[in-house]
């Protein structure tokens, strides 16, 4: 039996190069080896969105990005989270076996509180429980994640162990599959690339827009003039070259150290490489954008396929919890 993979993303806007390098391309590759289930996590998005007016548009834009990048609905189940309501029911059941202390210690919860201190809602605290429900509803065994999501996945494993101990073995403990490029820092050079923080580069931008965004990026803070020797090991632009321009990283490092190349030149080279890598993706996306019904049908069919698995799992859970 093929190992099952599950992953999802919140629809907070069009995907950026951090999503592309750190997750999406990995999802595409996994389709060749695993039984993949991919979800647009709109309920998760509600924990940080106070204005939901753009949520349908964001869901559509994310679907376009993933399909254009290579998510194949013939190979994978691809759907919108809220279209499979069984996940919300399982979330409720799991919340009764999850201690509050477990949730309050999660690092990403503390980070979100700093970002939105005016909106610390129950959903934000319970985010890892819903994430657990997302994964184990389909009895996924592997979850591709970045390093920042490891605490969430470990909590998922703890919840699974607690449920299996109380109600008898039911779910596998999902294992993390770290991406080869696990953390993409944003244009500010400080925080993880994020739509919410505004330090991102959308993959659907035009080549000209991409160049303009890259040129705003923070580089080596100690390099004030063109002739100053650089320190590529602390430069975010250099880190991005490792993904978008891997064949020239040694040369760029040497040129930076010796001031043979300036930050502006280095940024422009990176922008050119990003545009080259995304050219085919952008062509496919433009074609898909003319077929909104196809995109909607993919998500509808994906939800129907996901619900077949979800109903079976939920029936087993309710039986073991003596609810039926």
């Amino acid at each position: 039996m093929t190992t099952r993979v599950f992953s999802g993303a919140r629809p907070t806007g069009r995907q950026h190069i951090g999503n592309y390098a750190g997750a999406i391309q990995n999802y595409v590759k996994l389709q060749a080896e695993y039984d993949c289930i991919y979800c647009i996590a709109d309920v998760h998005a509600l924990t940080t969105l106070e204005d939901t007016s753009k949520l349908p548009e964001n869901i559509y834009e994310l679907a376009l990005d993933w399909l254009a990048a290579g998510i194949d609905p013939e190979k994978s189940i691809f759907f919108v989270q809220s279209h499979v309501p069984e996940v919300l029911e399982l979330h409720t059941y799991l919340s009764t076996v999850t201690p509050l202390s477990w949730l309050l210690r999660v690092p990403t919860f503390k980070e979100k509180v700093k970002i939105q201190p005016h909106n610390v809602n129950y959903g934000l605290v319970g985010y890892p429980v819903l994430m657990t429900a997302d994964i184990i509803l389909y009895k996924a065994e592997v979850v591709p994640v970045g390093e920042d999501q490891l605490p969430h996945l470990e909590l998922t494993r703890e919840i699974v162990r607690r449920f299996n101990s109380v109600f008898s073995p039911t779910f596998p403990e999902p294992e993390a599959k770290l991406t080869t490029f696990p953390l993409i820092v944003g244009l500010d050079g400080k925080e993880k690339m994020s739509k919410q923080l505004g330090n991102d580069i959308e993959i659907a931008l035009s080549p000209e827009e991409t160049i303009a965004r890259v040129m705003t990026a923070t580089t080596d803070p100690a390099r004030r003039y063109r002739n100053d020797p650089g320190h590529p090991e602390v430069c975010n632009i250099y880190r991005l070259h490792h993904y978008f321009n891997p064949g020239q990283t040694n040369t760029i490092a040497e040129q930076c150290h010796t001031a043979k190349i300036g930050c502006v030149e280095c940024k422009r080279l990176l922008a050119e490489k990003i545009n080259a890598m995304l050219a085919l993706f952008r062509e496919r996306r433009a074609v898909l954008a003319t077929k909104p019904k196809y995109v909607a049908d993919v998500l509808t069919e994906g939800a129907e396929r996901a619900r077949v698995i979800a109903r079976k799992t939920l029936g087993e859970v309710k039986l073991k919890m003596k609810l039926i």
Side-chain angles (χ1 to χ4, degrees):
M1 183 176 177
T2 306
T3 301
R4 180 169 289 162
V5 163
F6 177 90
S7 193
R10 297 183 306 132
T12 54
R14 295 192 296 184
Q15 299 284 272
H16 53 66
I17 63 169
N19 303 133
Y20 188 82
I24 301 173
Q25 285 302 285
N26 191 40
Y27 297 164
V28 173
K29 292 175 183 176
L30 291 173
Q31 294 177 122
E33 302 177 48
Y34 299 95
D35 174 14
C36 296
I37 300 179
Y38 296 129
C39 162
I40 299 177
D42 57 340
V43 180
H44 280 300
L46 296 178
T47 65
T48 56
L49 288 179
E50 296 179 68
D51 177 6
T52 61
S53 60
K54 292 186 177 180
L55 190 56
E57 177 187 345
N58 289 345
I59 290 170
Y60 175 68
E61 293 287 347
L62 190 150
L64 279 180
D65 284 341
W66 282 21
L67 291 171
I71 297 300
D72 186 348
E74 297 297 321
K75 297 178 181 178
S76 302
I77 295 177
F78 183 35
F79 66 101
V80 178
Q81 183 185 28
S82 65
H83 295 182
V84 182
E86 288 81 3
V87 73
L88 301 176
E89 187 174 351
L90 181 57
H91 167 238
T92 299
Y93 299 150
L94 295 178
S95 70
T96 66
V97 297
T98 306
L100 179 60
S101 60
W102 288 7
L103 302 175
L104 294 177
R105 76 183 186 215
V106 177
T108 46
F109 168 67
K110 299 173 183 177
E111 292 168 7
K112 291 293 185 183
V113 169
K114 292 179 181 177
I115 294 173
Q116 55 183 70
H118 59 290
N119 183 25
V120 184
N121 54 75
Y122 163 75
L124 198 65
V125 181
Y127 187 107
V129 184
L130 181 55
M131 176 179 161
T132 300
D134 283 327
I135 297 166
I136 69 176
L137 183 62
Y138 308 103
K139 297 196 175 182
E141 299 148 286
V142 173
V143 182
V145 293
E147 291 176 346
D148 62 314
Q149 285 291 316
L150 285 176
H152 276 180
L153 189 60
E154 184 52 40
L155 182 50
T156 290
R157 291 166 56 82
E158 289 186 77
I159 294 172
V160 166
R161 286 194 290 269
R162 171 69 69 89
F163 188 95
N164 288 346
S165 174
V166 174
F167 298 108
S168 79
T170 308
F171 301 108
E173 290 185 34
E175 300 285 343
K177 186 175 181 64
L178 280 174
T179 59
T180 55
F181 208 81
L183 180 62
I184 308 295
V185 178
L187 295 175
D188 55 8
K190 299 177 182 178
E191 304 287 344
K192 177 185 175 184
M193 187 169 285
S194 164
K195 187 75 175 179
Q196 191 174 9
L197 295 175
N199 62 1
D200 62 319
I201 303 172
E202 294 177 354
I203 56 178
L205 292 178
S206 69
E208 295 74 21
E209 290 170 326
T210 299
I211 293 171
R213 286 295 289 163
V214 173
M215 298 307 286
T216 68
T218 299
T219 53
D220 178 1
R223 193 177 189 190
R224 300 178 60 189
Y225 302 104
R226 170 65 176 77
N227 293 329
D228 289 343
H231 307 84
E233 63 277 4
V234 301
C235 178
N236 186 39
I237 291 298
Y238 179 69
R239 287 195 290 267
L240 289 173
H241 273 291
H242 278 279
Y243 183 81
F244 293 99
N245 189 21
Q248 296 186 42
T249 52
N250 289 339
T251 300
I252 291 170
E254 188 275 331
Q255 291 177 332
C256 180
H257 277 303
T258 58
K260 293 178 181 177
I261 186 173
C263 294
V264 171
E265 299 158 271
C266 192
K267 289 180 185 180
R268 190 167 294 279
L269 177 59
L270 174 64
E272 291 172 358
K273 294 298 182 179
I274 291 174
N275 283 331
M277 182 176 286
L278 294 177
L280 183 58
F281 158 81
R282 288 167 173 166
E283 289 178 16
R284 289 195 295 252
R285 194 182 195 281
V287 172
L288 283 169
T290 67
K291 303 177 181 180
K293 185 179 184 302
Y294 167 76
V295 176
D297 288 347
V298 164
L299 297 176
T300 298
E301 182 182 345
E304 291 171 355
R305 292 167 63 194
R307 291 198 75 183
V308 172
I309 303 169
R311 290 189 188 107
K312 182 178 179 181
T313 301
L314 199 57
E316 182 182 357
V317 167
K318 292 172 75 172
L319 186 65
K320 291 190 175 183
M321 296 184 77
K322 309 302 180 185
L323 294 171
I324 54 175

